[in-house]
Amino acid sequence: RGPVELTVAIDGGELVIAVADHGPGIEDQHIGRLTEAFYRVVASRERGTGGLGLGLYLCQAVVDAHAGEMQIFSEVGEGTRIECRLPVDA
């Protein structure tokens, strides 16, 4: 469905890093839990096929450590965009 897109920009006093895909998307009921340690949308996935469920948890920890904000936007059938905003020291 197309390549993963990575964008980096400065918006005011923030560094904005965004990653977007054109995959199947994620249902709304999962969005709020994606940054929980070991949470996986498909619980039946095994380590070899679906990871450990730590990727977004670790991303959130890094963003939090830098006093930033991470948002997840997704639409089923369209894909997912994750945006991290980090303050830039002047």
Side-chain angles (χ1 to χ4, degrees):
R1 285 183 153 215
V4 172
E5 299 171 15
L6 172 67
T7 58
V8 179
I10 297 290
D11 182 14
E14 297 178 316
L15 172 65
V16 182
I17 303 168
V19 178
D21 70 25
H22 304 282
I26 301 166
E27 295 176 350
D28 287 343
Q29 75 253 25
H30 298 290
I31 300 294
R33 299 195 63 199
L34 291 174
T35 59
E36 292 178 15
F38 305 109
Y39 184 79
R40 295 188 231 177
V41 172
V42 180
S44 64
R45 281 189 165 172
E46 296 178 5
R47 182 176 172 182
T49 60
L52 295 174
L54 289 173
L56 290 175
Y57 167 77
L58 293 172
C59 289
Q60 185 68 64
V62 170
V63 169
D64 290 346
H66 291 281
E69 179 182 355
M70 185 168 84
Q71 292 182 291
I72 302 170
F73 308 94
S74 191
E75 188 172 330
V76 174
E78 297 296 321
T80 302
R81 175 182 169 86
I82 299 173
E83 186 176 287
C84 300
R85 293 181 164 268
L86 304 170
V88 176
D89 295 328

